[in-house]
Amino acid sequence: MVARPRAGRCCGSPTSGADIFYRGWIADSVVAEMERGGGLISKRDLEEYRAIWRRPIVIEYADRRLISMGPPSGGGIVLGEMLGMLERFDLRGLDYRSADEIHLSDPDFVSVPIDRLLSPSYLDSLGKTIDPARATPSEPDVAAGTESAQTTHYSVVDSAGNAVAVTTTINGSFGSAALVRGAGFLLNNEMDDFTTRPGEPNMYGLVQGETNSIAPGKRMLSAMTPTIVVAPDGRTELVTGTPGGPTITTSVLQVVVAQLDHGLGAQQAVNAPRVHHQHIPDLLHYERGGLEPWVIDELESRGHRLKERVGFSGDVQSIYVAADGVRYGAADPRGGGAALGY
């Protein structure tokens, strides 16, 4: 237990809710930590900060409606684009984790053309760029970054079918490694999610442009993809998400495809080996021992450059709700999560 400092707890100071964090004793503790470490956050910055309700991304796929995160996260849009392109192929007619299946498979400052990016005509044009026989190269090549394990995801479904998918992060390992004394939480290092130098990769190997450059009051990009799948009968069918930097969206995609297209159970879909490609570097990463040798040979014959990962892709936490209402929790064995019910 951490004792609370007395600063900001008298003379009409906030005593409950979000106001404690932005205008009360926790805000005072954050500012004191800034002063000790030479940080930039002021009391005025905290007082003026406002959480914003964002419009979610809604995706139609496999007779389901998927609800995911919108900008400034690119997760929902990228998930929608990937599913939209995959829908133009018969995934259900392919063996899961076969070479054929793997081969296929900030808005306040920048206007994001969501409708155009998810329009059928645009997805048609993207789908036509997929050559079933050959890999399409991406340029230029840069060194890959190291995946962080400091993002957390949890999924919740209550007895009435209400669902919550939450992804939260401090970015890199232990964030900025600075602890707010008296409050007990770490400060993040999310500045790496801005473009510090256009064309240069961040810690994840992601290359960004001027639209994500640093500016006062701006919110950084994200790959978070907390997702809720609604069945044709209107019930919550799947709640899922994961940490994993740029591997977040591809991990969620593979869990969704495994369940909706290939009929895997909740735990099977979470356990299944994952692959990841993020355009740059032009490499198809696969988890250690995750692909059969003949699948690797076939993918390489199609022009793919493969690399076995040192670690894992993601740490998915899912809940599947069957048609009879039975709930199946699935915690990823790659991490330290657990599935609990009461």
Side-chain angles (χ1 to χ4, degrees), residues 4 92 220 277:
R4 296 182 180 182
R92 299 183 183 187
M220 67 293 294
H277 195 296

Side-chain angles (χ1 to χ4, degrees), residues 38-59:
L40 300 176
I41 298 175
S42 68
K43 189 68 180 290
R44 180 178 176 182
D45 291 330
L46 293 171
E47 290 174 347
E48 293 182 351
Y49 183 85
R50 296 292 183 272
I52 299 174
W53 284 99
R54 303 287 189 184
R55 184 181 297 275
I57 298 297
V58 179
I59 306 158

Side-chain angles (χ1 to χ4, degrees), residues 143-149 171-173 192 202-205 244-247 309-311:
T146 301
E147 180 182 346
S148 167
N171 204 38
S173 181
D192 183 67
N202 67 2
M203 72 169 69
Y204 300 106
T247 70
R309 292 182 64 89
V310 175

